[in-house]
Amino acid sequence: MTTKSLGNPFDGDKSLIHAKTCGCPECKPGDSTPSISLDLKPSTGQQAVADEHLDSEAMMDRAIEGAVVRSVFGHNEHSRRAFMKMMGAGTAAAVLGSVFPMEKAKAAVKESLGKLEKTKLNVGFVPITCATPIIMAHPMGFYERYGLDVTVTKTAGWAVARDKSLAGEYDASHMLTPMPLAMTMGAGSTPEPFIMPAVENINGQAIVLHVDHKDKRDPKQWKGFKFGVPFEYSMHNFLLRYYLAENGIDPDKDVQIRVVPPPEMVANLRAGNLDGYLSPDPFNQRAVWEKVGFIHMLTKDIWEGHPCCAFACSKQFATQNPNTYGALLRAIIDATQYSNNPDNRKEISEAIAPKNYLNQPVPVIQQVLTGYYADGLGEVKDVPDRIDFDPFPWHSMGVWILTQMKRWGYIEGDVDYKGIAEQVYLASETGKIMEELGYTAPDKTYKTHTIMGKTFDSDRAEEYARSFDIGRV
């Protein structure tokens, strides 16, 4: 897979972004191998050169020039194309060259990053809005900004993402925040040290019930229900269990909790195989769109600011490819911060809608990312932080996840809560890179969290894990 956003930035006739209306082969049903222009100079009408003919330095030069042009226009593709059409490619390039030292910029970026050990990478993702930064970094050029030619590979579910990551088929992957903790400890898989340098999203999930259950809004009425979650080692599973238990429902005895891949949630709800689910979007909103479900509760109302999905890779990959790993992490942090700005959400919705990404209607994605949505109960809600994006991986969040793994019997024995969280969640490293890129990073890695009105203190993790009336310890 090549990358359309690496095209000629001075060509006003060519879009650098994949969107729902994109006409390139990659976004057309039945086609999967697009071709692109690799010339960064003003178009001369010559035949495009194949991607494999570029070495890593040429790719970096091309990426930096494209990044500069995008930055000049604030990543506004319409403005860029209008300006290039008005001025002409040659004139535009000359104007930019007269005010910006392009060659010095290229040299400075190369020096700061070091020579990339690899430029062609395979990054897996599950098609949900939680993965927005990992996905949009592809069509919107964030990977290329750091000299990387990334293939983002759609993955059916997290068991597949885990197994492909363990097998080395993915260089890095979109994961759920509990997964690298579990993989490192060998919970549910063979133990392999994984690291999680960045959270992708906070909030952004919901409990959805079948439309036939509009009269059952009290969880105490849910005994006998069948619920879906996307993976055992997921915030979805742990938040659903927490919510049920706080309402007196034992998640292991009073209901059934089944693992269902996110793209299959709506179909299972419609078929009556599920009474509800706690799932990532866009499948909560898609259930409303298809009139088979309604949003009972956003997970932000269980835990405001909870983590969900993340960017992770094996420790081996990061150690063997330190410059490539650093470039990839910078691209992810940059894309996450760009996603954090609500003004960018509509543009992002269009970029991640095509079939090779989320394959969802743009209005469905926009309702999720903007927080202006129909709830399936006849109301339109305006919740701007329904989903948000913050890359900082708080150690205290990792400790909370480990307490829930202990509480429900996923891990046993003595647990070094802080030691494991600090080994896997690279908060200090991420904070330094955030500041390097001009973003504000927290000056600490632990804080207290409030879940359904109860305060969690990571200094008392084992006591907390054993404090609940309903649990397995």
Side-chain angles (χ1 to χ4, degrees):
M1 181 187 294
T2 51
T3 316
K4 183 181 180 185
S5 51
L6 277 174
N8 181 3
F10 296 102
D11 188 346
D13 292 321
K14 300 288 187 180
S15 173
L16 301 183
I17 296 178
H18 292 290
K20 194 69 173 178
T21 55
C22 179
C24 78
E26 186 171 341
C27 295
K28 288 181 179 178
D31 293 322
S32 59
T33 310
S35 60
I36 59 170
S37 169
L38 300 178
D39 184 14
L40 275 182
K41 298 185 176 69
S43 177
T44 61
Q46 295 178 341
Q47 181 74 22
V49 182
D51 238 350
E52 56 267 24
H53 293 164
L54 285 178
D55 59 23
S56 61
E57 185 168 352
M59 285 186 63
M60 180 67 81
D61 287 343
R62 181 157 58 101
I64 294 168
E65 190 165 283
V68 169
V69 172
R70 288 190 185 90
S71 297
V72 167
F73 293 95
H75 287 269
N76 188 310
E77 183 66 0
H78 175 76
S79 297
R80 181 195 69 81
R81 294 179 66 180
F83 181 82
M84 296 304 173
K85 287 181 179 180
M86 179 179 68
M87 297 295 293
T91 301
V95 169
L96 179 59
S98 69
V99 298
F100 186 84
M102 185 67 73
E103 294 307 315
K104 289 184 179 179
K106 292 176 183 177
V109 171
K110 291 174 188 175
E111 182 178 356
S112 67
L113 291 179
K115 182 176 177 59
L116 301 180
E117 298 85 7
K118 296 176 65 176
T119 56
K120 293 183 179 294
L121 301 176
N122 191 16
V123 175
F125 75 94
V126 175
I128 59 176
T129 49
C130 302
T132 290
I134 289 174
I135 300 171
M136 57 79 78
H138 184 257
M140 298 182 72
F142 284 84
Y143 295 126
E144 293 80 4
R145 177 182 298 180
Y146 294 94
L148 299 172
D149 181 12
V150 173
T151 296
V152 288
T153 302
K154 187 185 293 189
T155 310
W158 277 286
V160 177
R162 177 196 61 196
D163 294 345
K164 285 183 176 291
S165 296
L166 287 170
E169 295 180 42
Y170 290 163
D171 295 293
S173 183
H174 164 212
M175 289 190 184
L176 299 156
T177 46
M179 286 176 62
L181 296 167
M183 293 163 72
T184 297
M185 299 177 71
S189 66
T190 55
E192 178 73 25
F194 264 69
I195 56 175
M196 195 192 87
V199 171
E200 289 300 283
N201 72 296
I202 56 176
N203 300 334
Q205 324 305 304
I207 297 175
V208 167
L209 296 180
H210 193 282
V211 289
D212 289 346
H213 297 317
K214 288 183 179 180
D215 61 339
K216 297 182 180 66
R217 301 300 305 281
D218 184 346
K220 292 181 177 58
Q221 299 173 288
W222 295 356
K223 285 190 176 183
F225 273 23
K226 300 180 292 291
F227 284 99
V229 296
F231 198 55
E232 283 190 309
Y233 299 97
S234 69
M235 287 299 295
H236 312 82
N237 185 26
F238 298 140
L239 288 175
L240 178 61
R241 286 172 170 273
Y242 193 101
Y243 180 74
L244 290 170
E246 287 295 293
N247 283 281
I249 300 294
D250 189 318
D252 293 318
K253 299 176 181 178
D254 297 328
V255 298
Q256 295 181 40
I257 298 179
R258 304 172 176 177
V259 172
V260 179
E264 299 175 18
M265 291 285 189
V266 176
N268 275 277
L269 191 68
R270 180 188 295 107
N273 298 328
L274 297 174
D275 295 286
Y277 53 73
L278 200 159
S279 170
D281 272 304
F283 301 104
N284 304 311
Q285 204 58 49
R286 189 63 189 251
V288 175
W289 177 270
E290 297 191 14
K291 297 181 173 57
V292 296
F294 66 93
I295 295 175
H296 167 74
M297 173 180 283
L298 299 179
T299 51
K300 69 179 291 293
D301 296 324
I302 298 174
W303 176 1
E304 174 64 59
H306 71 80
C308 183
C309 289
F311 163 76
C313 67
S314 69
K315 186 176 181 180
Q316 182 181 30
F317 171 79
T319 301
Q320 293 181 349
N321 306 280
N323 295 332
T324 296
Y325 164 74
L328 184 57
L329 178 54
R330 285 170 174 82
I332 292 295
I333 291 175
D334 243 354
T336 304
Q337 292 293 149
Y338 189 81
S339 303
N340 177 260
N341 186 343
D343 294 340
N344 300 328
R345 303 276 176 89
K346 289 186 177 181
E347 174 194 18
I348 292 171
S349 298
E350 295 182 359
I352 65 177
K355 72 176 186 69
N356 51 317
Y357 301 130
L358 295 189
N359 193 28
Q360 295 288 332
V362 173
V364 170
I365 302 172
Q366 286 186 350
Q367 287 186 65
V368 175
L369 294 188
T370 64
Y372 189 73
Y373 65 95
D375 65 359
L377 294 168
E379 294 188 24
V380 175
K381 303 285 189 178
D382 188 6
V383 186
D385 60 349
R386 171 178 177 170
I387 188 171
D388 214 338
F389 301 92
D390 182 352
F392 193 75
W394 289 91
H395 288 146
S396 48
M397 290 178 171
V399 172
W400 185 87
I401 291 169
L402 290 169
T403 66
Q404 299 309 292
M405 291 170 66
K406 179 70 177 288
R407 175 187 180 183
W408 299 113
Y410 290 98
I411 54 178
E412 298 177 342
D414 295 334
V415 179
D416 181 4
Y417 294 99
K418 288 191 174 183
I420 296 170
E422 291 173 15
Q423 175 187 341
V424 177
Y425 285 23
L426 304 187
S428 297
E429 177 182 335
T430 301
K432 290 177 182 177
I433 294 178
M434 289 174 67
E435 292 178 349
E436 172 193 314
L437 296 176
Y439 305 121
T440 301
D443 59 3
K444 57 185 179 180
T445 65
Y446 287 91
K447 64 178 180 178
T448 58
H449 304 283
T450 302
I451 301 95
M452 293 186 70
K454 295 182 178 179
T455 300
F456 168 65
D457 181 355
S458 56
D459 288 334
R460 305 170 68 180
E462 182 66 19
E463 178 185 339
Y464 179 82
R466 295 179 178 277
S467 68
F468 300 96
D469 292 335
I470 298 177
R472 305 283 85 86
V473 293

